[in-house]
Amino acid sequence: MVYAPALALNQVTGFNLWASVFATGIVCTFYCSLGGLKAVVWTDAFQMVVMIVGFLTVLIQGSNHVGGFNNVLEKAGNGSRLHIVDFDVDPLRRHTFWTITIGGTFTWLGVYGVNQSTIQRCISCKTEKHAKLALYFNLLGLWIIVACAVFSGLIMYSHFKDCDPWTSGVISAPDQLMPYFVMEIFATMPGLPGLFVACAFSGTLSTVAASINALATVTFEDFVKSCFPHLSDKLSTWISKGLCILFGIMCTSMAVVASLMGSVVQAALSIHGMCGGPMLGLFTLGLVFPFVNWKGALGGLLTGITLSFWVAIGSFIYPAPESKTLPLPLSTEHCVELNITTTVAPQISSRPVLADTWYSLSYLYFSAVGCLGCIAAGIIISFLTGKQRGKDIDPLLIRPVCNLFCFWSKKYKTLCWCGVQHDRETEQDYLDSGSAWKQGVESGLQNGLKQDTLAQIPGYNPKEKSYSNSVPEKTTYF
């Protein structure tokens, strides 16, 4: 995410690429370490506005530049750019209805379901209702951004239909196409290319800052506080800031790796799949399968990571053949010939057996591979090493999804519970009431507090199902 806007700034201003990368990383780390989660949330909200304004500016000027939006759709249709639905079931095809629906579901479940930066924002909301509203607004914003990106691509195709700058060698990477397009359509409008650069950097700052904050929070809460439980408030604050700086340096350094991974969008979704898939599988084991023990969970996680990284790294080394990616033709018929020296990549004489099968798997399936591999390995290892006893598990920690399929038979429903006592009335009512929100990570929930006990807790509002900060306690510093 740091590498993408650096490309834009380099194309627009000629500013050194790596200087831009490190400047972005320094800015993200600075305000994240000083302001914490509150700074991240407020800057994200402002940056969202900047992104939309930047996109709309490009869309309006770009469509006017190519003769109107109807002309854009006509040229895109003639160039087969509007062929949206492809029901080919081949998992090696890059983008089809099935890869986007199935693979995309696993990928985005990993992002919204178990990703720390997302969950951290949700639990910072006052109530469960507020958290749901935040996710709905996020979905709306995501739809707007994706729609703007798609229409920007169609406008760029209409503009460069007869002279593709990447194929002709004018630009060195596909990710430079948008900045190059902006420089052309705003050539006579000083200042507006800067708005586009601000738009690109807004997306980076929001994503990187949230990731830095999430990494620092998890490290401090799960490792530092566990090893040193009696830290003073002042020392905890300094450790928190130090962790933000450390992870900021690491995230900035990863931009070097991103530059070697091809398309920025594909690289970002591939990394999300590689890391988020196994984590999604681990959480699924914990929430859905009560008989899985710690050995199965650990073995499943390692198996999922191994599988997802194996297929992803293999796909980077041995890219899928064009017969699977099916790139659409690009024309250079009306380009002015330039004296440009091109470097031809060395051809690999032999490809391993897995290069055209396993390594050619669509990048959208990386998350599914990691998730399903983790679940399968975790179940098998748990059966081999001895299942977890269901009666020793708090029912609040297991989601009985089998109730959806065995609603017609209490006998089979109870059998699928694997010994977990979901029929205990007080706890089940407690779960259904939704009051587990916010309290779910506290020791009171683990002890199975009843509703009347909850009502007596200072700061608890039973109508809003929320807690105020009326009770002084040691909190995190992010």
Side-chain angles (χ1 to χ4, degrees):
M1 294 305 296
V2 177
Y3 177 69
L7 278 176
L9 186 63
N10 174 258
Q11 185 70 35
V12 172
T13 65
F15 191 73
N16 183 270
L17 176 64
W18 297 110
S20 174
V21 167
F22 289 109
T24 305
I26 291 172
V27 171
C28 283
T29 305
F30 177 75
Y31 79 74
C32 186
S33 60
L34 291 183
L37 182 60
K38 186 175 182 179
V40 171
V41 171
W42 277 103
T43 51
D44 283 359
F46 174 74
Q47 288 156 6
M48 177 66 181
V49 176
V50 175
M51 289 170 64
I52 294 177
V53 171
F55 262 125
L56 291 178
T57 305
V58 173
L59 289 175
I60 294 172
Q61 179 64 12
S63 60
N64 290 334
H65 205 270
V66 297
F69 195 70
N70 291 332
N71 193 28
V72 170
L73 295 179
E74 182 181 352
K75 290 183 178 180
N78 294 336
S80 302
R81 262 56 184 185
L82 298 181
H83 183 60
I84 301 175
V85 181
D86 183 356
F87 289 99
D88 191 344
V89 296
D90 186 0
L92 307 185
R93 288 280 306 279
R94 185 70 34 147
H95 298 119
T96 66
F97 174 83
W98 303 111
T99 56
I100 295 175
T101 303
I102 300 176
T105 298
F106 279 93
T107 300
W108 289 106
L109 271 177
V111 173
Y112 283 97
V114 299
N115 187 282
Q116 170 64 19
S117 61
T118 304
I119 301 302
Q120 180 175 315
R121 300 182 192 196
C122 290
I123 63 177
S124 67
C125 297
K126 184 179 180 182
T127 65
E128 182 179 359
K129 181 180 179 180
H130 291 170
K132 289 180 178 179
L133 286 175
L135 289 175
Y136 291 144
F137 281 119
N138 178 272
L139 179 62
L140 177 62
L142 183 63
W143 281 346
I144 294 174
I145 294 297
V146 170
C148 290
V150 169
F151 288 121
S152 296
L154 294 177
I155 293 173
M156 281 193 293
Y157 171 75
S158 300
H159 182 73
F160 297 118
K161 182 176 181 293
D162 298 319
C163 181
D164 178 59
W166 180 44
T167 307
S168 61
V170 177
I171 59 177
S172 58
D175 297 311
Q176 292 179 324
L177 188 60
M178 185 72 170
Y180 181 76
F181 173 67
V182 169
M183 289 301 295
E184 285 211 351
I185 64 175
F186 292 122
T188 59
M189 300 180 182
L192 289 181
L195 177 61
F196 168 74
V197 173
C199 171
F201 270 90
S202 294
T204 292
L205 291 173
S206 62
T207 302
V208 174
S211 300
I212 292 173
N213 189 267
L215 287 169
T217 301
V218 170
T219 304
F220 182 81
E221 292 291 334
D222 293 348
F223 295 98
V224 176
K225 287 183 69 174
S226 298
C227 298
F228 307 98
H230 303 296
L231 292 174
S232 64
D233 292 349
K234 183 177 181 180
L235 183 58
S236 297
T237 302
W238 280 109
I239 292 176
S240 302
K241 296 181 184 297
L243 288 172
C244 285
I245 295 174
L246 174 63
F247 286 115
I249 295 173
M250 293 175 63
C251 289
T252 305
S253 302
M254 287 298 293
V256 180
V257 179
S259 65
L260 305 174
M261 297 177 67
S263 170
V264 172
V265 174
Q266 178 175 332
L269 291 178
S270 298
I271 293 174
H272 272 305
M274 293 161 57
C275 303
M279 286 300 298
L280 178 62
L282 180 64
F283 274 78
T284 303
L285 286 174
L287 290 170
V288 180
F289 302 97
F291 54 83
V292 173
N293 56 31
W294 70 268
K295 297 177 182 177
L298 180 60
L301 178 62
L302 295 177
T303 302
I305 291 175
T306 302
L307 289 175
S308 59
F309 273 73
W310 177 22
V311 63
I313 294 175
S315 68
F316 295 140
I317 299 175
Y318 302 101
E322 291 189 357
S323 60
K324 298 302 179 184
T325 57
L326 295 179
L328 295 172
L330 299 170
S331 173
T332 57
E333 182 180 354
H334 295 169
C335 288
V336 178
E337 293 188 6
L338 300 175
N339 186 17
I340 299 175
T341 303
T342 58
T343 303
V344 180
Q347 298 293 326
I348 301 176
S349 57
S350 61
R351 289 164 61 92
V353 178
L354 296 177
D356 295 329
T357 53
W358 177 243
Y359 295 154
S360 295
L361 188 70
S362 174
Y363 68 94
L364 290 172
Y365 281 128
F366 293 169
S367 180
V369 168
C371 178
L372 297 179
C374 175
I375 294 174
I379 292 175
I380 294 173
I381 294 174
S382 297
F383 274 108
L384 294 177
T385 58
K387 298 183 296 181
Q388 177 79 18
R389 292 173 42 175
K391 66 179 182 179
D392 296 333
I393 301 175
D394 192 332
L396 296 176
L397 304 179
I398 301 293
R399 188 64 182 173
V401 295
C402 57
N403 292 356
L404 299 175
F405 308 100
C406 302
F407 62 91
W408 48 271
S409 174
K410 184 177 181 180
K411 175 183 177 182
Y412 290 109
K413 187 164 59 175
T414 305
L415 181 64
C416 293
W417 289 347
C418 301
V420 181
Q421 301 177 14
H422 288 292
D423 53 353
R424 282 191 290 184
E425 183 177 357
T426 55
E427 290 185 345
Q428 187 62 35
D429 290 343
Y430 180 76
L431 178 65
D432 294 338
S433 68
S435 55
W437 180 255
K438 285 285 189 181
Q439 185 72 4
V441 294
E442 300 176 3
S443 59
L445 176 66
Q446 297 172 358
N447 295 329
L449 292 177
K450 298 181 180 179
Q451 289 290 344
D452 55 349
T453 308
L454 283 171
Q456 299 173 5
I457 296 179
Y460 176 71
N461 188 334
K463 293 183 179 180
E464 294 188 0
K465 301 177 184 177
S466 64
Y467 291 83
S468 63
N469 294 325
S470 59
V471 182
E473 58 178 65
K474 190 172 183 179
T475 59
T476 182
Y477 298 91
F478 297 94

